[in-house]
Amino acid sequence: LRFDEQVRVVVFKSQVKGVFCAGADLKERAKMDDAEVGEFVRRLRNLMDEIAALPVPTIAAIDGYALGGGLELALACDLRVAASSAKMGLIETTRGLLPGAGGTQRLPRCVGIGLAKELIFTGRQIDGQQAASMGLVNHSVPQNSEGDAAYQRALTLAKEILPQAPFAVKMGKLAINKGMEVDIASGMAIEGMCYAQNIPTRDRQEGMAAFREKRPPQFTGK
């Protein structure tokens, strides 16, 4: 996906009705020794980092349970859409653990430190509407009879992104992600560097031409 120039948006959905991702199999985990657990979590953390580093926008379609590592997967995505009936939570402390695949870092960046601490310390599960009210998800939608309401809303959101200039969207994602890690002056410098890369693109010229000619732009990602 990282190197496929035809990919403009990635949507993560589950094939299992009622479950987005239930997290680690604790029965499997119980059979591991300490070293194996450490290696398992390290690989999981690296996977989430790879997802977060995808250059194109990513959307998690949460149509059911997203617990522990399942919510960490959703947090590694840029955008999240949830069915109002979905259940989400970093429940690790209820099992003698703490989030180890990015949850302690991505949740506070998403909802703020106070809320993140409350959710992690209590291991509380919340539904889609509550998640939307605190900014954990971008949209909460009533579940439908097929059980894929969040996926359908995610597709609608993806279709809003698709017509936009692909390289500009990628640079926008990069500027936001890198800028959030530094002070605002450094962030402005990062934005300037990303903007400079966009200036010589054909898509920028096409965007200007389409505006002058009062027609929809035809972006190619070049």
Side-chain angles (χ1 to χ4, degrees):
L1 291 174
R2 176 189 290 275
F3 299 107
D4 188 340
E5 292 296 323
Q6 301 304 310
V7 174
R8 297 193 180 185
V9 185
V10 175
V11 177
F12 286 82
K13 73 179 290 288
S14 173
Q15 298 284 63
V16 181
K17 191 170 183 177
V19 179
F20 173 73
C21 179
D25 183 342
L26 295 184
K27 291 181 181 178
E28 177 188 57
R29 184 77 67 84
K31 299 174 183 176
M32 298 179 183
D33 61 28
D34 290 355
E36 289 172 328
V37 170
E39 175 62 14
F40 178 87
V41 175
R42 185 192 66 78
R43 291 174 60 193
L44 194 61
R45 189 182 302 116
N46 288 345
L47 172 62
M48 301 309 178
D49 287 345
E50 287 288 324
I51 292 169
L54 281 172
V56 298
T58 54
I59 307 172
I62 307 168
D63 274 307
Y65 286 96
L67 303 175
L71 182 53
E72 288 177 308
L73 169 60
L75 284 166
C77 295
D78 297 310
L79 309 173
R80 286 159 292 283
V81 180
S84 56
S85 58
K87 295 293 183 183
M88 287 160 271
L90 293 180
I91 60 170
E92 285 87 348
T93 56
T94 70
R95 299 294 183 267
L97 305 166
L98 73 153
T104 65
Q105 301 306 303
R106 293 193 175 100
L107 186 62
R109 284 167 168 79
C110 184
V111 302
I113 293 174
L115 267 176
K117 285 180 176 178
E118 181 176 336
L119 291 173
I120 290 172
F121 295 170
T122 63
R124 183 185 305 148
Q125 296 183 34
I126 59 174
D127 63 27
Q129 289 179 308
Q130 292 171 305
S133 70
M134 64 178 63
L136 177 55
V137 301
N138 297 73
H139 303 280
S140 174
V141 292
Q143 188 55 280
N144 58 27
S145 57
E146 289 77 25
D148 68 347
Y151 174 59
Q152 295 302 325
R153 182 66 182 88
L155 286 181
T156 300
L157 186 54
K159 288 173 183 174
E160 287 186 69
I161 298 170
L162 282 177
Q164 316 316 326
F167 188 74
V169 170
K170 289 180 181 180
M171 287 297 100
K173 173 172 176 171
L174 182 63
I176 293 169
N177 285 354
K178 295 301 181 183
M180 288 298 292
E181 299 171 1
V182 298
D183 62 273
I184 191 165
S186 301
M188 295 297 284
I190 290 169
E191 182 186 271
M193 288 185 285
C194 290
Y195 199 96
Q197 291 184 61
N198 194 69
I199 289 173
T201 62
R202 294 178 193 170
D203 278 354
R204 188 181 75 86
Q205 298 297 333
E206 166 62 11
M208 298 299 101
F211 178 77
R212 290 193 305 270
E213 297 163 15
K214 295 182 171 58
R215 60 173 175 80
Q218 299 296 317
F219 296 123
T220 62
K222 303 295 183 183

